[in-house]
Amino acid sequence: MIRVALVDDHPVVRAGMRALVEGQEDLSVVGEASDAHSAEQLVAAVRPDVVLMDLNLGTGPGGAEVTARLRALPEPPHVLVLTTYDTEADIMSAIDAGASGYLLKDAPPEDLFRAIRGTARGETVLAPAVAARLVRRSGPTLTEREVEILGLLATGLSNREMARKLFVSEATVKSHLAHIYTKLEVDTRAGAVARAIEQRIIRPPS
C-alpha cells in the first residue's frame, strides 16, 4: 500500500484528491495539511511514502520551500508537485528543491495514479507539457539568478531595490539585466517582463 499525504491550502481540492486517490486499491491517504507548518508536522507524524504538494500555499512559505524542508528530513518522503503553475521558474524551483515529479492539476486521474506510483518507486515523473517545456527551452538559457531578477523586475522594483534585496551591487544588477535583455532580445525593462511572461518563464504579477 502506498501511503499518500496531501498538502494543499484548499479544503475542496484536498477532498477531491482524497476521493480520487482512495478509490485505488493500492493507494491510501494518511493525512492532509494546508501550510508549511502543518505539512512538516504531518510528515513527521505519519511518515508517508509520497506527498502531493501544491506550490501555492497561501501567505506562508510556498510548496517549493516546503518540499526542500521535507527532503531535508532524515527519512524524507518522495514529493510529487500537483499544481496549476507551469512556468519555467516554478518547475525548476520545485525540481531544485528535490521534487521527484511535477504534474498539472488538469491531468486525467489515471495520469495522477501512475505519477504517484512512479514517484513512490523513486522515478522522476513529469507531465508531458512540463517535460516538453524543459526540452523546448530555446535560445540562450537564463540563469537562476536572471530568472529571479526577472521576477523582481515584474514587481516594479528599481535596480537599487533589487540590489538591496539580493545583497549585491547595483552594477551587478545592471550586468544581469544586460544579459537578460540580450537573451530575450528586448531593450527595455517592460519588454523583458512582457517577453518573460509570454514565454512562461515567470508568472504575471498578481
Side-chain angles (χ1 to χ4, degrees), residues 12 81 83 111 113 131 134 146 149-150 163 186 191-192:
V12 173
V81 169
T83 186
D111 287 357
F113 305 145
L134 296 181
E146 287 166 355
I149 285 178
L150 273 168
V186 297

Side-chain angles (χ1 to χ4, degrees), residues 150-162:
L150 273 168
L152 295 176
L153 202 61
T155 67
L157 294 187
S158 67
N159 288 0
R160 177 173 297 179
E161 289 168 329
M162 287 191 285

Side-chain angles (χ1 to χ4, degrees), residues 125-205:
V125 183
L126 299 176
V130 171
R133 172 150 193 75
L134 296 181
V135 170
R136 284 199 310 265
R137 294 171 76 181
S138 58
T141 303
L142 292 169
T143 66
E144 186 176 340
R145 177 48 62 91
E146 287 166 355
V147 172
E148 187 177 11
I149 285 178
L150 273 168
L152 295 176
L153 202 61
T155 67
L157 294 187
S158 67
N159 288 0
R160 177 173 297 179
E161 289 168 329
M162 287 191 285
R164 189 178 302 122
K165 191 173 184 66
L166 298 173
F167 302 102
V168 298
S169 68
E170 282 190 65
T172 297
V173 170
K174 290 178 181 177
S175 176
H176 282 307
L177 286 174
H179 291 146
I180 289 169
Y181 291 172
T182 298
K183 291 178 179 181
L184 295 182
E185 299 180 341
V186 297
D187 53 15
T188 65
R189 298 164 73 91
V193 171
R195 184 66 56 81
I197 292 172
E198 175 190 334
Q199 295 186 2
R200 305 186 76 80
I201 296 169
I202 61 173
R203 300 181 202 168

Side-chain angles (χ1 to χ4, degrees), residues 22-178:
E22 294 201 323
Q24 300 298 295
E25 292 183 356
D26 60 332
L27 306 179
S28 174
V29 175
V30 294
E32 301 178 14
S34 60
D35 55 28
H37 180 65
S38 59
E40 291 178 83
Q41 286 188 319
L42 174 65
V43 168
V46 304
R47 302 284 184 95
D49 301 306
V50 175
V51 175
L52 284 184
M53 177 74 66
D54 190 14
L55 287 186
N56 187 352
L57 298 176
T59 57
E65 182 176 337
V66 179
T67 295
R69 293 182 189 181
L70 297 183
R71 293 296 297 165
L73 295 173
E75 296 181 23
H78 296 293
V79 177
L80 172 61
V81 169
L82 184 64
T83 186
T84 57
Y85 300 119
D86 65 348
T87 69
E88 186 173 316
D90 288 316
I91 295 166
M92 296 313 299
S93 65
I95 292 174
D96 288 345
S100 299
Y102 200 106
L103 202 64
L104 301 178
K105 284 184 176 178
D106 60 359
E110 285 304 321
D111 287 357
L112 172 61
F113 305 145
R114 278 195 294 270
I116 293 173
R117 294 174 183 124
T119 301
R121 292 192 295 267
E123 299 172 3
T124 298
V125 183
L126 299 176
V130 171
R133 172 150 193 75
L134 296 181
V135 170
R136 284 199 310 265
R137 294 171 76 181
S138 58
T141 303
L142 292 169
T143 66
E144 186 176 340
R145 177 48 62 91
E146 287 166 355
V147 172
E148 187 177 11
I149 285 178
L150 273 168
L152 295 176
L153 202 61
T155 67
L157 294 187
S158 67
N159 288 0
R160 177 173 297 179
E161 289 168 329
M162 287 191 285
R164 189 178 302 122
K165 191 173 184 66
L166 298 173
F167 302 102
V168 298
S169 68
E170 282 190 65
T172 297
V173 170
K174 290 178 181 177
S175 176
H176 282 307
L177 286 174

